[in-house]
Amino acid sequence: MRIVSLAGGIGGARFLRGLRAAAPDAEITVIGNTGDDITLFGLRVCPDLDTVMYTLGGGIDEEQGWGRAGESHTVKAELAAYGMEPQWFGLGDKDFATHIVRTQMLDAGYPLSAVTEALCARWQPGVRLIPMTDDRAETHVIIEDERGRRAIHFQEWWVRLRASIPARQIALVGAEQAKPAPGVIEAIGAADVVVLPPSNPVVSIGTILQIPGIRDALEEKTVVGVSPIIGGAPVRGMADACLTAIGVETTAQAVLELYGARLLDGWLVAEEDAGVRLDGVRVQARPLLMTDLDATTAIARAALELAG
Amino acid sequence: MRIVSLAGGIGGARFLRGLRAAAPDAEITVIGNTGDDITLFGLRVCPDLDTVMYTLGGGIDEEQGWGRAGESHTVKAELAAYGMEPQWFGLGDKDFATHIVRTQMLDAGYPLSAVTEALCARWQPGVRLIPMTDDRAETHVIIEDERGRRAIHFQEWWVRLRASIPARQIALVGAEQAKPAPGVIEAIGAADVVVLPPSNPVVSIGTILQIPGIRDALEEKTVVGVSPIIGGAPVRGMADACLTAIGVETTAQAVLELYGARLLDGWLVAEEDAGVRLDGVRVQARPLLMTDLDATTAIARAALELAG
């Protein structure tokens, strides 16, 4: 069986661990979100790709959900001693090495997809991880504060401001010009089923869907989604702040409608959201909390079963 | 009083600590060797500039003589886990931050001299540290082994091979096109005295002298050198391997002749080398071992006195 999954960061990565366990013999291709990417201290940082890679490769800080286990922060402290900004983004010493390798390879002319493959050669995530695009397309957020209306990088809004200032608009800058990375459209075309993890529907899955060609390719396939909203609240993270920004309610029903029946064939919701429905989409309710690997594997198995 | 000093790495940096103590009210400008510079993992590393900066700024690993005190090596270990080469160059986590700052500034368009000034704003070395040039000019060594005759970067010969394979030739690639960094010629012109520390006469001082314009400017000034050779052996390091490569004996006499009477006005040698002489150069013998700051300060004071 060939499975394609789109993934953001923490939630997506944890779901993928369950998906891998639910379908141990499947070829799984993960199309990773790179809208969160940012250049810090001259180094290219791809938070979502790394979270997937570290999580599936056994290197993740389990409690935090991102970054490396047993991490130290010497480089960051030294950069601060030099007065270097920003200091609000958490970069550990082990993590720095990943960004140094990536930046060196990008500067040498390798596309991000080739760099990601090279990094994964060490981590052996058990899936094929491809960035949504090799082109630069970063999410920016329009906010309005005492300094007026302005656009800031998604990471500044998400990490520094903790989404505390309402987003007036969320835009993937460069989306129109971006092309799917090599292998993305081919993997979707060859897939028996596509699974959308309970990642952020706006700045993770929604970002991937904005890369020209990806949504069209997905609409031809059997796509099953796992709701990231349980009983009106995000499973984790601040998806509500993102949904509000694009005028969508924080409900499993609203996210189902956001994705729509052209994209989705099945929608897995939590038991408290059993009433959700949309013409053309099979909805099934079951426990959706990814409390441990067994629970997550059961969710992934249910998603595959819903695909038929 | 205005003093200019040329400096390589460990030996030069230690001497400068004595010079600063010997002339606490002097304006000291240090012209640093950048022939040892190398790009590793996409980061620009300037070992001699950093050794001077860390030593005078109180951040040096005193025992080792280079790198930062209390250093850790997480980034390097992670790069090794990714299979990244080279692993023979010692880069600590604190040190990595310096190279990250430098590389980011260079990529942003700042010349190395401006970057060095910015880094020194943190370290407050008590001297003005200027790289010999803002241009790329790196020392390469011609060796001959079972793979034939070939050129390798100085650092590969020095650090990886520990100078164990004889150097057939030592060349500063790019020297002819290099210009002295802004301030270098001006500082020499304004100097009351120029002091050459007991740095390597070939790959440290000799490199600086190869940048067009610097030797000419020095020949107009009162220049006093401290012999890096005591009783036929280098004070420290492997200067003998470099001297042999350019056909010069490892003696205080031979290095005096290498520098020559056009450059030097005074030459400080160890007591066992009291017989050394050259027309036009005042030679003085005294203890030259830099065993501690007091001994080093006394050597620097003697050098200044020899200048008259």
Side-chain angles (χ1 to χ4, degrees):
Chain A
M1 181 162 62
R2 293 198 178 91
I3 304 173
V4 161
S5 184
L6 315 192
I10 305 175
R14 286 187 177 159
F15 176 82
L16 288 171
R17 212 149 45 173
L19 182 64
R20 194 178 53 179
D25 299 324
E27 271 180 39
I28 303 176
T29 299
V30 176
I31 301 168
N33 171 41
T34 57
D36 293 19
D37 292 6
I38 187 167
T39 299
L40 296 169
F41 311 111
L43 300 173
R44 192 66 181 156
V45 181
C46 302
D48 282 1
L49 293 181
D50 288 349
T51 295
V52 169
M53 184 173 78
Y54 295 159
T55 300
L56 296 183
I60 200 79
D61 180 324
E62 291 288 348
E63 200 163 324
Q64 192 173 247
W66 55 271
R68 296 285 307 282
E71 189 58 288
S72 55
H73 295 84
T74 302
V75 176
K76 187 170 189 279
E78 283 294 315
L79 291 171
Y82 278 115
M84 297 293 279
E85 297 288 347
Q87 281 298 314
W88 45 260
F89 198 88
L91 288 173
D93 296 329
K94 294 182 182 179
D95 201 28
F96 258 110
T98 300
H99 312 317
I100 289 171
V101 175
R102 176 184 292 121
T103 304
Q104 186 178 11
M105 288 191 70
L106 289 171
D107 286 351
Y110 292 94
L112 182 61
S113 50
V115 174
T116 304
E117 191 179 342
L119 294 171
C120 284
R122 169 183 176 194
W123 290 103
Q124 296 291 323
V127 302
R128 181 175 176 211
L129 176 62
I130 317 181
M132 63 187 197
T133 180
D134 280 337
D135 300 318
R136 184 164 175 172
E138 291 175 17
T139 303
H140 284 70
V141 177
I142 310 284
I143 60 166
E144 209 166 327
D145 59 10
E146 67 283 353
R147 291 171 53 192
R149 190 177 175 92
R150 60 205 172 91
I152 58 177
H153 192 282
F154 170 73
Q155 294 294 358
E156 186 173 357
W157 182 64
W158 195 251
V159 177
R160 185 171 78 82
L161 299 176
R162 308 289 308 154
S164 60
I165 300 179
R168 304 290 175 154
Q169 201 182 323
I170 296 176
L172 184 63
V173 179
E176 291 89 347
Q177 290 77 41
K179 289 179 297 298
V184 166
I185 297 299
E186 294 78 358
I188 295 171
D192 298 302
V193 56
V194 176
V195 182
L196 308 187
S199 288
N200 189 308
V202 183
V203 295
S204 296
I205 307 288
T207 302
I208 301 172
L209 294 176
Q210 280 181 66
I211 301 301
I214 293 186
R215 180 185 266 273
D216 288 348
L218 291 170
E219 287 179 355
E220 304 296 314
K221 310 301 293 190
T222 301
V223 178
V224 173
V226 180
S227 174
I229 309 297
I230 298 182
V235 177
R236 57 156 293 116
M238 303 171 287
D240 46 342
C242 300
L243 287 166
T244 302
I246 62 166
V248 173
E249 279 183 21
T250 302
T251 64
Q253 177 70 44
V255 175
L256 167 58
E257 291 169 14
L258 172 67
Y259 285 148
R262 286 180 63 96
L263 177 68
L264 286 181
D265 298 280
W267 187 233
L268 214 54
V269 297
E271 288 160 313
E272 46 269 68
D273 297 311
V276 162
R277 65 192 64 253
L278 185 69
D279 277 356
V281 179
R282 287 189 300 280
V283 177
Q284 192 185 313
R286 64 170 326 283
L288 281 195
L289 285 178
M290 300 189 289
T291 43
D292 57 23
L293 180 58
D294 282 348
T296 310
T297 305
I299 298 169
R301 195 174 291 125
L304 293 175
E305 284 167 8
L306 185 58
Chain B
M1 180 162 62
R2 293 199 178 90
I3 303 173
V4 162
S5 185
L6 316 192
I10 306 176
R14 286 188 176 157
F15 177 83
L16 288 171
R17 212 151 44 175
L19 183 64
R20 194 178 54 179
D25 299 325
E27 271 180 38
I28 302 176
T29 299
V30 177
I31 301 169
N33 172 40
T34 57
D36 293 18
D37 292 6
I38 187 168
T39 299
L40 296 169
F41 311 111
L43 300 172
R44 192 67 181 156
V45 180
C46 302
D48 282 1
L49 293 181
D50 288 349
T51 295
V52 169
M53 183 172 79
Y54 295 159
T55 300
L56 296 183
I60 200 79
D61 180 324
E62 290 288 349
E63 199 163 324
Q64 192 173 248
W66 55 271
R68 296 285 307 281
E71 189 57 289
S72 55
H73 295 85
T74 302
V75 176
K76 187 170 190 279
E78 283 294 314
L79 291 171
Y82 279 115
M84 297 293 280
E85 298 288 345
Q87 281 298 313
W88 46 259
F89 198 89
L91 288 173
D93 296 329
K94 294 182 182 179
D95 201 28
F96 258 111
T98 300
H99 312 316
I100 289 171
V101 174
R102 175 183 294 122
T103 305
Q104 186 178 10
M105 288 191 70
L106 288 171
D107 285 351
Y110 291 94
L112 182 61
S113 50
V115 174
T116 304
E117 191 179 344
L119 293 171
C120 285
R122 170 185 176 193
W123 289 103
Q124 297 290 324
V127 302
R128 180 174 176 212
L129 177 61
I130 317 180
M132 63 187 197
T133 179
D134 280 335
D135 300 318
R136 185 165 174 170
E138 292 174 17
T139 304
H140 284 70
V141 177
I142 310 283
I143 60 166
E144 209 166 326
D145 60 9
E146 68 283 351
R147 291 170 52 192
R149 190 177 175 93
R150 61 204 172 91
I152 59 176
H153 192 284
F154 170 74
Q155 294 294 359
E156 186 173 356
W157 183 65
W158 195 251
V159 177
R160 184 172 79 83
L161 299 175
R162 307 290 307 154
S164 60
I165 299 180
R168 304 291 174 152
Q169 201 182 322
I170 296 176
L172 184 62
V173 178
E176 291 89 347
Q177 289 77 41
K179 291 178 297 296
V184 166
I185 298 299
E186 294 77 358
I188 294 171
D192 298 302
V193 55
V194 176
V195 182
L196 308 187
S199 288
N200 190 308
V202 184
V203 296
S204 296
I205 306 289
T207 303
I208 300 171
L209 294 176
Q210 280 180 66
I211 301 301
I214 293 187
R215 180 186 265 274
D216 288 347
L218 290 170
E219 287 179 355
E220 304 296 314
K221 310 301 294 190
T222 300
V223 179
V224 173
V226 180
S227 175
I229 308 297
I230 298 183
V235 177
R236 58 157 292 118
M238 303 170 287
D240 46 343
C242 299
L243 287 166
T244 302
I246 62 166
V248 173
E249 279 184 22
T250 303
T251 64
Q253 178 70 44
V255 175
L256 167 59
E257 290 170 14
L258 172 66
Y259 285 148
R262 285 182 64 95
L263 177 68
L264 285 181
D265 298 279
W267 188 234
L268 215 55
V269 297
E271 288 161 313
E272 46 268 68
D273 297 311
V276 162
R277 65 193 63 254
L278 186 69
D279 277 357
V281 180
R282 289 189 300 280
V283 177
Q284 192 186 317
R286 65 170 325 284
L288 281 196
L289 285 179
M290 300 189 288
T291 43
D292 57 22
L293 181 58
D294 282 348
T296 310
T297 305
I299 298 169
R301 195 174 291 123
L304 294 175
E305 284 167 7
L306 186 58

